[in-house]
Amino acid sequence: MVKFEYKTFQLGEKLTQEQKDYFRKYGVIQFKNFINAETIQKCISELNKIEKQWLADGVEKINGIPLKFGKDEHGNKMIQRMCFTNKYSTFLGEFLKDPRLQVLVELLAPYDGRISDNEKDGLVFNHYVNALNSKFTQMGWHTDSPRDLFLGQKILPMLNVGVHLDNCPSSNGGLRVLPGTQNQSVLKLLFGKKYFIDHTPDTKEVGFEIEAGDLTVHDGRLWHRVEVSPNVGEKSRRRVMYVPIITGKYMPKNENSKTPFYHRFAKVVQK
């Protein structure tokens, strides 16, 4: 595995060669101040509206994708993983049209990529909070590639783009990756770690000093996990929006879409 040099960048109208080379080497890159405080609050407001409506309506799945429920530090029911949020908010739908996001497609070259607003799980909102009845405090080691196998297609490169809505220094848990593992063999990609079950810190893993408004991009073939916060309640809160940038056959979802096997598998192994 490559020796990691932690650097952050600014995302402009186009990617620099340094940024492309950095991502190609490590499989992950962090851009500072992608969105400002006003946009952060607007995103949170829109997500809160969607959550309130879905809870009131008793929604359990969107386009075949299960929602993940838990309780906050006050014992109130909450949705800790929401999908296709861009389809339920004009603001979030327009947010995905930010030309700076489109620039990131270049990181998949020579493949042609697209922002997955209507495929996979759309714009996902992950809401981590460490509380007594929280169901979403961490995520075990995994790559995003086996979904392709479950869908009966070969493993293709993809990007997972995260927009962070809270400050998250590495001391508060959060994203951990094994840099350079996007170039691993298929055997190691599939069997290098126990998917979702293994939460064990790796001596070669790296974390990130993330501030609200930052954007992270990682290659879907990269081993990564989410570390639990050592804090409880409000201090542990981490809200992140994720959207994939994908290649391959166009496979849109709708209200009649079946639940993919990998979601049922992940639910079992994370119990």
Side-chain angles (χ1 to χ4, degrees):
M1 193 170 67
V2 298
K3 184 177 180 180
F4 186 64
E5 178 187 4
Y6 181 42
K7 294 181 67 175
T8 60
F9 301 88
Q10 294 288 334
L11 182 59
E13 296 180 355
K14 61 181 181 179
L15 294 172
T16 67
Q17 191 59 49
E18 180 186 12
Q19 291 166 353
K20 294 177 183 179
D21 291 344
Y22 186 93
F23 184 80
R24 189 175 298 112
K25 182 175 182 179
Y26 299 121
V28 65
I29 191 169
Q30 178 181 353
F31 297 100
K32 301 295 296 180
N33 304 311
F34 178 71
I35 56 175
N36 59 28
E38 180 181 357
T39 302
I40 292 170
Q41 291 307 311
K42 180 63 176 176
C43 289
I44 291 173
S45 175
E46 290 295 297
L47 292 162
N48 286 342
K49 288 178 185 177
I50 297 170
E51 179 187 38
K52 183 178 180 180
Q53 189 64 55
W54 287 356
L55 287 173
D57 293 343
V59 176
E60 295 186 354
K61 293 182 180 181
I62 298 293
N63 294 343
I65 306 301
L67 306 178
K68 185 180 288 291
F69 297 89
K71 292 186 178 180
D72 64 18
E73 65 270 31
H74 305 296
N76 300 312
K77 188 175 182 179
M78 62 184 294
I79 308 177
Q80 297 198 260
R81 186 181 192 273
M82 304 197 299
C83 56
F84 290 104
T85 56
N86 54 300
K87 296 299 182 182
Y88 293 83
S89 163
T90 300
F91 177 82
L92 294 177
E94 290 298 314
F95 179 80
L96 291 187
K97 297 178 183 178
D98 188 316
R100 293 174 299 167
L101 291 177
Q102 187 61 42
V103 163
L104 297 172
V105 171
E106 295 179 30
L107 294 175
L108 285 173
Y111 290 86
D112 293 325
R114 61 187 179 276
I115 295 172
S116 178
D117 63 328
N118 200 37
E119 301 172 83
K120 301 289 188 181
D121 299 358
L123 180 63
V124 170
F125 174 55
N126 286 342
H127 192 163
Y128 297 93
V129 62
N130 197 8
L132 181 62
N133 292 308
S134 172
K135 301 297 184 182
F136 209 34
T137 61
Q138 61 184 336
M139 190 177 295
W141 284 109
H142 65 286
T143 75
D144 302 315
S145 297
R147 328 180 151 193
D148 287 339
L149 298 180
F150 287 131
L151 293 172
Q153 60 188 35
K154 67 178 183 178
I155 293 174
L156 294 171
M158 64 162 287
L159 309 175
N160 232 330
V161 180
V163 181
H164 300 262
L165 305 179
D166 293 291
N167 292 331
C168 185
S170 59
S171 59
N172 195 34
L175 182 65
R176 301 288 191 269
V177 307
L178 292 180
T181 53
Q182 76 279 7
N183 296 319
Q184 65 195 315
S185 67
V186 174
L187 192 65
K188 288 185 177 179
L189 184 149
L190 295 176
F191 303 107
K193 292 182 180 293
K194 295 180 180 179
Y195 271 76
F196 297 109
I197 297 173
D198 185 2
H199 296 272
T200 308
D202 192 296
T203 56
K204 296 180 180 179
E205 73 179 33
V206 298
F208 300 86
E209 306 307 317
I210 292 171
E211 295 179 300
D214 287 358
L215 180 142
T216 56
V217 184
H218 69 260
D219 190 304
R221 298 165 295 184
L222 191 79
W223 279 106
H224 57 285
R225 70 183 183 97
V226 176
E227 174 64 275
V228 65
S229 171
N231 300 306
V232 176
E234 185 60 35
K235 290 184 177 179
S236 72
R237 192 178 310 282
R238 301 189 306 272
R239 290 166 289 192
V240 190
M241 299 190 302
Y242 275 103
V243 66
I245 297 179
I246 62 176
T247 62
K249 182 182 177 182
Y250 180 57
M251 302 176 68
K253 297 282 183 65
N254 59 48
E255 64 275 10
N256 298 316
S257 296
K258 295 181 179 179
T259 301
F261 174 75
Y262 57 79
H263 274 285
R264 299 196 294 271
F265 172 76
K267 183 177 181 180
V268 170
V269 299
Q270 291 184 72
K271 284 184 177 180

